[in-house]
Amino acid sequence: MITPLTADGSAELEGIVSAHRLAEPVYVTRPTMPNLDEYTQYLRGIWERRWLTNAGPLHEELERKLASFLGVEHLSLFCNGAIALQVAFEALRINSGEVITTPFSFPATAHVAYWSRVRPVFCDIDPLTFNIDPSKIERLIGPETRAILPVHVYGRPCDVEAIQRIAEVHGLQVVYDAAHAFGVRYKGLSLLSYGSISMLSFHATKLFTTIEGGALVCGTEAQRNRINFLKNFGIADEETVIGPGINGKMNEFQAAFGLLQLQGVAEEIRRRRALARIYRDGLRRIPGILVPDDSPECEANSTYFPVLVDRAEYGMSRDDLYLVFRRCNIMARKYFYPLITHAPCYSALPSAAPSSLPVAERVASQVLCLPIYGTLEPEIARRICSLIADLRVATSKRLAAAGS
Ligand code: T4K
């Protein structure tokens, strides 16, 4: 093993930091802003109509256009992804018992189960996709299991066929947290067409954004109608409440932003894919940096660019690399560390024991998401690769010096 290079102030490290420090902070993501004049045009229309929310005309237009862009039939817009996911649970009447899910996600995934009065049962992940490992789901199914809640983490598809087979055999619903999966196609179809319902997030950090926002994609018009009631307090008309709904509505200002975003989203994905290629080419041969492959059956959206840092081979830990990045103004993020199971609200659950989740524990301790977004200069991605390469050269020199 190479003696690890730490983020401390050795002369060797200081030289690398000063050579690679960027003038301005580069964040893990940035929204691509629409043209301000065009947005102002939309605002004028909203002012004139004085129709601000509750299924306004821009909301209806965005719903239609998004469904068509994504290649799905039944889509309902929401104020954000977390509330959308909660409504998906209520739409399927999943409001007791247990749901099998992944610990390797944003906390919102498990929190939604919690708010739906459903106990999350955590299942380990696959070492290649970082998604729930279908071969470990069945042993967690018990009399109280109601559903499976997988996440297409980083927009990389879960093993949707295996999950479907398990759900059918055991009579379970499948609700996908597809927060990252905008525009991803799998075997020629929208990835959102799998499972009973899929949730998308349109938060400012997502490749398609409505500032805050989200959507549910479901299989039938009847389901969509139920979802639409539930996101509007369960109100059917002025005098009829059909169920315990909530306020999940997207407003006209968000929808206007989304309509403009939609015009540029194909280009946004194209640019992200080009950046992903630069990272892949630049990092492929660096020992200790693992770049997960995209499945050949998937048209990826390159919404995140995760790498795993193997301390023994790279000669520096993920946490030290993260600190060096910070000093170089590169705001990479440790998505998704710590695991959801480390939060005090879940850590006492039997399924949260680290010994049951060895792959998720390892991946969370090694993962680092590099900056990727449409307006990131390709040159910055190249510089990030050369920083990672130079650090590895420094660690191997240490090894040589230690051996001589
Ligand atoms: N399920 C999954 C798997 C999710 O990842 C999420 C959300 C959800 C469910 C819930 O969906 P929503 O209810 O949010 O629709 C961010 C987002 O807040 C969160 O939406 C997202 N996942 C998660 C992965 O990332 P933070 O705490 O990392 O955000 P923050 O504020 O640190 O922003 C990250 C970087 O983005 C900043 O360093 C700079 C850039 N940024 C951020 C904002 C807000 C901008 O450039 N402009 C901005 O307006 O959680």
Side-chain angles (χ1 to χ4, degrees), residues 120-184:
V121 174
F122 295 100
C123 177
D124 205 5
I125 60 171
D126 178 275
L128 298 179
T129 66
F130 308 155
N131 290 320
I132 196 165
D133 182 342
S135 72
K136 295 180 180 160
I137 291 178
E138 278 186 297
R139 68 184 74 152
L140 298 172
I141 296 175
E144 297 210 47
T145 311
R146 303 286 312 279
I148 307 172
L149 172 59
V151 181
H152 301 298
V153 82
Y154 310 131
R156 293 153 53 78
C158 291
D159 186 343
V160 286
E161 284 105 353
I163 292 170
Q164 194 53 40
R165 275 195 299 277
I166 295 168
E168 278 165 17
V169 168
H170 296 273
L172 302 175
Q173 304 276 6
V174 182
V175 181
Y176 278 105
D177 179 336
H180 308 164
F182 187 97
V184 176

Side-chain angles (χ1 to χ4, degrees), residues 27-31 79-83 85 105-109 112 151-153 177-180 199-206 211-214 304 326 331 333 335-336:
Y27 296 100
V28 69
T29 188
R30 307 252 51 203
C79 55
N80 64 55
I83 292 285
L85 194 54
S105 180
F106 194 61
T109 309
V112 164
V151 181
H152 301 298
V153 82
D177 179 336
H180 308 164
M199 175 278 277
L200 286 165
S201 164
F202 304 150
H203 182 260
T205 53
K206 300 297 185 292
I211 309 169
E212 294 272 1
Y304 291 88
R326 293 256 137 174
M331 306 302 173
R333 291 290 293 262
Y335 293 135
F336 291 99

Side-chain angles (χ1 to χ4, degrees), residues 16 56 189 199 229 273 297 305 380 395 399:
I16 295 175
L189 280 180
M199 175 278 277
F229 286 132
R273 285 186 186 147
E297 290 164 318
F305 197 87
I380 301 280
T395 60
L399 177 68

